[in-house]
Structure formats: structure tokens, C-alpha cells
Amino acid sequence: MEVLCLVKFIITLMRFFLNIIYGLIKIVTRPHKKIIFLSRQSNGPSIDITMLSDKIKQLHPEYEVVILCKKIGDGLSGKISYCFHMLKQMYHLASCEVVILDSYAILVSLLHHRSSLLVIQMWHSVGTMKKFAYSILDKPEGSSSIIANAMKMHHNYDYILCAGEGYRDHLAEGFNYPTDKIKILPLPRVEVLQSEAYSNSTKEIIYKIHPELKNKKNILYVPTFRKDKEEGNKFIEAVDNLEKAFIPYSRQYNLIIKAHPLSGFDGGYEDFSSFNMLFIADYVISDYSCIIYEAAIRHIPLFFYTYDYESYMSKRDIYMDYKNELPNKMFDNPSDLLSAIDTNKFDMANQDAFLSKYVKYKRPHITADIVDFIWEHKKA
């Protein structure tokens, strides 16, 4: 507790000095027709940021669009580099009308902004699964409530975008906001998941590099990330069992394994993301990953390889009633799982009903709708 109190004091001091610097920047800058995107998810823009920024430029060319995507790097040099990046963020926050996020942004929550700044949280997940932020404070997977309060975690948002009605209460709880601040506007990527043109072009690119995937049906395995060493060892064993069980089916199917980048597992198709691989998948195997919503939007039959269900659920908190809400059967035996795929034992009507609860995907002009929402609620 003493250590946490010391960290809280340091954060409070840091917040005080950051606001002094930010205050000086606000004195010498004025907001103008500019919209910025902030992200710590990666060092480059996601498909959602790219699509939304392109649509803003198309519909409102008089506006400047600035994209600031940078992960906090490892080691001291990575932290120092990010500190300089935060100074850049301060300048743009002080001189823009709208900021759009896809994750927690330190300065958006910590600083005292102009009342004219519109802040929109465009969370990076299409659907809901594992609990996060305020839902798991002071739990093993969550943050300390002392640190979260000192960091003003997820403060200063005007609106939070949400994929569907079933997701609204979960986001309200996780972000600690009233439900009227949660607006049903799915991510732009939901639009391309339903685009035949995007699908065809992506398939063409993948098949050009991996022609072996073209002549058989493709089974895509996209598991969630297991954090600790024991879970990681179980995962490697589960993959090994799946690959052995797959041997009798290898003449009819390809097995594509797309593990989380942090898992350290190389499935052999690292040149394409899990998202892109959905466009050539005939079946998807997953577990506790939100990619199931993206697969369901493409009407790909879902199967669940939950070999570690009891141990995983004993360490995790999730929002949904997992066993009762999953649209198709859970398997801990890979042979039974592959047999179900081979005999088409799935319920697409049930899968579509599950999807409709969590993602409002039957909505035309999704990206343009977000732009219209921003312009309707701009304060400047």
C-alpha cells in the first residue's frame, strides 16, 4: 500500500506539471479545423482509423486530419521517446476541434482541455468478451483503483462508440460512464467485412502469395492470448493435439493457425493478419477472442476449442454468460471438433441471432454515419 501511495503521489505531481505545460501551449495556440486520432495500439493506423480519416477527408476536405499512432516502447529509451511524442500530442490536442481514440490515451484523461474539444472513444474491439478497466479494478487482471483514480483512467470522454445494444451495458461498466454516453455506431471495419470488393481483392492478394490455400477449404484457428507461462504451455500442447488430429483431414482442408503476436507461436502465415485471413476462411475455430464477431459478420461457421475452459474462467472475468450464449458447441477434444467441422454440425441461424445481439452490422454507410455523428456533436 505504501508503494501505491508513493506512485499516486508521483502521478499527481506529474499531472500537475503536465497541465502547466499544456496550459502554456493552449495560450499560444488556437483551435482550428483539425481532427486528430490518438492510439497506443500500434505504431501505425488501424483499418478503422484509416477508413474514418479517409471518409472525413472525403466529406469535409476543409479539415486537417492528423494521425498520431505510437506504442510505448520497451526500456528507458522507449519511455523517453514516448514522452517526446506526448509533447506532440499536447500541441495537437490544444489546436484541434475533435480527438478520436481507439484505446486509453494518457493525456486525454489527465489534462484539462478546452470546453470546445469533442472527445470520442472508438474502442478497438468489435464486440464484447473479457471484462476490462473499471469492471476489474483491484483484481488480478485489472489495475489498482488507487492508480486508476490517480491516472484518471478513461476520463473526459464525451461519447463512446459501441457495436450493438448487447454491448452497451458492458462498455458503460468498463468505462464507468452512463449508458446515454454509449452510442450504437459499429467500427468502420464492419463495413469492409461485408464488402465483396474488399473481400475479392484481399483473397487475390493472399492467394497470390499462398496459392496452396486456394484449392482446399480453409480452417482458421484464432485463439486468444494466454498470458502466464502455464497457460502458454497448455496452449502449445493444445495446438500440437489439434495438428495431430488434423492429419486425417489434410487432403480436404488447410489448417491455418493465427496465434496472438505476443504468444511467440509462428503458424507460418505471419505476412497476413487474422483479420485479413477471415476473407479466405471457410470455418473459424476460436475460444475467448472477440474475432468471433468479425467471423460471424462474414457468416463463417464458428467452432470453439475450449480445452482450458475451467482454468481460464477461474482466472478471468467475462461479461457474457459464455456457455449459454455461445452460438455453437464447445469442444475440448480436437478430434470431435474437426469431425463436427467435416460434417457441418453448426447452427447458422443461432449464430446470426447471437451476432445481432452484439453487433448492429446490418447498417449501411457505417463509416459515413460516424462522420455525421461527429459533425452533429462538434462543439466548435
Side-chain angles (χ1 to χ4, degrees):
M1 182 62 72
E2 289 181 1
V3 172
L4 287 176
C5 288
L6 176 60
V7 173
K8 179 184 177 182
F9 173 76
I10 293 170
I11 292 171
T12 303
L13 197 62
M14 175 189 72
R15 192 171 71 226
F16 174 75
F17 283 111
L18 285 174
N19 272 294
I20 289 177
I21 297 169
Y22 189 51
L24 294 173
I25 294 173
K26 285 190 290 184
I27 290 173
V28 298
T29 60
R30 285 290 176 268
H32 59 273
K33 291 183 176 180
K34 177 167 69 175
I35 292 179
I36 68 170
F37 291 84
L38 297 185
S39 177
R40 293 190 299 136
Q41 288 292 105
S42 66
N43 291 322
S46 67
I47 188 170
D48 301 304
I49 290 176
T50 299
M51 289 179 66
L52 187 52
S53 63
D54 287 348
K55 185 62 69 172
I56 290 170
K57 292 172 187 175
Q58 176 192 340
L59 297 177
H60 301 278
E62 73 279 13
Y63 268 75
E64 178 187 4
V65 177
V66 176
I67 298 174
L68 300 172
C69 298
K70 186 176 177 64
K71 295 174 70 174
I72 299 178
D74 296 328
L76 181 60
S77 62
K79 305 296 185 293
I80 293 172
S81 173
Y82 196 79
C83 287
F84 283 104
H85 180 71
M86 287 171 71
L87 290 173
K88 187 176 182 180
Q89 288 183 1
M90 282 190 194
Y91 165 75
H92 287 293
L93 284 167
S95 57
C96 74
E97 294 181 1
V98 181
V99 55
I100 302 167
L101 321 170
D102 68 353
S103 50
Y104 170 64
I106 297 169
L107 294 180
V108 170
S109 292
L110 283 183
L111 299 178
H112 301 303
H113 303 288
R114 301 183 198 273
S115 59
S116 60
L117 180 65
L118 175 66
V119 181
I120 293 179
Q121 174 62 259
M122 180 179 68
W123 196 238
H124 56 268
S125 177
V126 169
T128 183
M129 188 70 76
K130 287 173 279 190
K131 291 188 176 182
F132 70 101
Y134 286 92
S135 294
I136 52 171
L137 284 184
D138 298 319
K139 294 184 178 181
E141 287 256 312
S143 302
S144 155
S145 56
I146 293 174
I147 302 304
N149 290 330
M151 290 294 292
K152 296 187 176 295
M153 187 170 68
H154 297 305
H155 278 217
N156 293 330
Y157 303 159
D158 290 296
Y159 299 102
I160 298 162
L161 306 190
C162 173
E165 197 59 50
Y167 195 13
R168 190 197 293 267
D169 288 343
H170 304 165
L171 285 185
E173 179 185 313
F175 285 117
N176 194 31
Y177 276 79
T179 54
D180 64 350
K181 293 293 185 182
I182 316 295
K183 301 301 178 182
I184 307 298
L185 286 165
L187 291 175
R189 81 180 85 149
V190 172
E191 195 171 318
V192 300
L193 283 165
Q194 301 173 86
S195 165
E196 281 306 308
Y198 189 92
S199 175
N200 291 336
S201 63
T202 303
K203 285 179 182 178
E204 186 178 343
I205 294 168
I206 294 174
Y207 289 149
K208 185 175 182 180
I209 297 174
H210 297 288
E212 73 278 7
L213 298 178
K214 191 173 184 178
N215 298 320
K216 299 179 189 178
K217 289 190 173 182
N218 296 310
I219 301 171
L220 177 63
Y221 177 37
V222 276
T224 197
F225 177 53
R226 273 81 173 167
K227 286 189 175 181
D228 64 40
K229 186 176 180 180
E230 182 182 349
E231 289 177 337
N233 291 337
K234 284 182 181 178
F235 168 68
I236 296 300
E237 182 183 351
V239 171
D240 185 53
N241 291 337
L242 180 63
E243 289 178 325
K244 288 176 182 176
F246 177 73
I247 292 171
Y249 300 94
S250 59
R251 295 186 68 180
Q252 305 105 293
Y253 303 92
N254 296 306
L255 178 62
I256 303 165
I257 300 173
K258 288 295 297 181
H260 191 283
L262 294 177
S263 69
F265 182 88
D266 183 354
Y269 295 97
E270 302 310 304
D271 42 0
F272 292 101
S273 67
S274 298
F275 178 83
N276 284 329
M277 281 297 188
L278 288 174
F279 292 93
I280 54 95
D282 296 287
Y283 305 93
V284 164
I285 302 171
S286 193
D287 41 34
Y288 324 106
S289 170
C290 286
I291 200 170
I292 64 172
Y293 299 100
E294 297 173 10
I297 290 167
R298 289 201 51 76
H299 300 288
I300 305 169
L302 288 166
F303 295 84
F304 296 87
Y305 186 26
T306 50
Y307 61 88
D308 60 348
Y309 175 79
E310 297 298 337
S311 62
Y312 191 91
M313 290 299 170
S314 70
K315 300 175 184 177
R316 303 293 189 282
D317 286 305
I318 66 172
Y319 288 110
M320 66 168 60
D321 183 355
Y322 189 82
K323 271 189 176 180
N324 292 322
E325 287 199 62
L326 283 190
N328 292 313
K329 188 178 176 183
M330 296 164 53
F331 295 89
D332 56 15
N333 184 303
S335 295
D336 293 342
L337 167 61
L338 291 166
S339 176
I341 290 175
D342 191 46
T343 54
N344 283 313
K345 289 183 179 177
F346 63 90
D347 187 339
M348 186 56 74
N350 195 32
Q351 184 171 305
D352 287 343
F354 168 79
L355 174 63
S356 295
K357 176 180 178 181
Y358 287 104
V359 184
K360 191 176 181 180
Y361 67 102
K362 294 180 180 178
R363 179 176 187 151
H365 317 303
I366 287 171
T367 310
D369 286 347
I370 297 174
V371 177
D372 290 344
F373 177 85
I374 294 168
W375 254 255
E376 288 167 10
H377 294 85
K378 260 188 334 92
K379 300 175 184 179

